[in-house]
């Protein structure tokens, strides 16, 4: 059974940093695309970043470009999201998600629809 488990959320002040982790379990062959999306109270889900597992190609939403970095450690079956220069508007529950397959769909806007996702981790940024 495939499981994605996020960790690393917490509360920080504006300008601070956090690193989220997403450990994957039960995957017998590699995902094609993994990513992060977030959902703030009363708002729609927003794709944040993606990475292709084979090629390591990354994409970011404009709202986080230059501040967030997505990366992977294949040896540890873990996905990361390094978040720097955090802003209060980054406050949300962050989810990692993954998809098998191939093709041109590995972009932030598609991440909320991926078939596998974790339980989420809360990130709170205070001003």
């Amino acid at each position: 059974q495939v499981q994605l488990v996020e960790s690393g959320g917490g509360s920080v002040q504006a300008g601070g940093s956090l690193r989220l982790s997403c450990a994957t379990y039960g995957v017998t062959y590699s995902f094609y695309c993994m990513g992060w999306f977030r959902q703030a109270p009363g708002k729609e889900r927003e794709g944040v970043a993606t990475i292709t597992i084979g090629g390591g190609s990354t994409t970011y939403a404009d709202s986080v470009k230059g501040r967030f970095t997505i990366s992977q450690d294949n040896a540890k079956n873990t996905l990361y999201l390094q978040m720097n220069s955090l802003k209060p508007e980054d406050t949300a529950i962050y989810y990692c998600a993954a998809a098998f397959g191939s093709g041109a769909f590995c972009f932030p806007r598609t991440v909320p629809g991926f078939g596998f996702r974790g339980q989420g981790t809360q990130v709170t940024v205070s001003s």
Side-chain angles (χ1 to χ4, degrees):
Q1 181 179 355
V2 175
Q3 283 188 303
L4 281 64
V5 181
E6 302 98 334
S7 61
S11 298
V12 296
Q13 290 192 324
S17 298
L18 284 173
R19 188 177 80 155
L20 305 183
S21 299
C22 173
T24 61
Y25 303 93
V27 181
T28 56
Y29 59 98
S30 180
F31 290 116
Y32 167 68
C33 176
M34 295 189 72
W36 294 89
F37 71 94
R38 64 188 181 185
Q39 187 162 27
K43 295 189 177 181
E44 295 200 354
R45 296 175 298 179
E46 177 190 17
V48 172
T50 61
I51 186 166
T52 56
I53 299 305
S57 179
T58 59
T59 58
Y60 298 92
D62 288 343
S63 58
V64 305
K65 202 171 292 184
R67 301 187 298 122
F68 290 11
T69 302
I70 188 171
S71 62
Q72 59 179 310
D73 185 333
N74 288 335
K76 296 182 179 179
N77 293 323
T78 302
L79 180 75
Y80 301 101
L81 185 69
Q82 178 67 44
M83 305 186 295
N84 299 329
S85 302
L86 282 161
K87 305 175 181 180
E89 51 263 43
D90 294 318
T91 295
I93 300 175
Y94 283 72
Y95 301 86
C96 70
F100 294 112
S102 62
F105 68 87
C106 196
F107 300 107
R109 65 179 181 274
T110 65
V111 177
F114 284 3
F116 301 95
R117 67 181 64 174
Q119 80 289 349
T121 186
Q122 176 71 47
V123 171
T124 302
V125 184
S126 57
S127 57

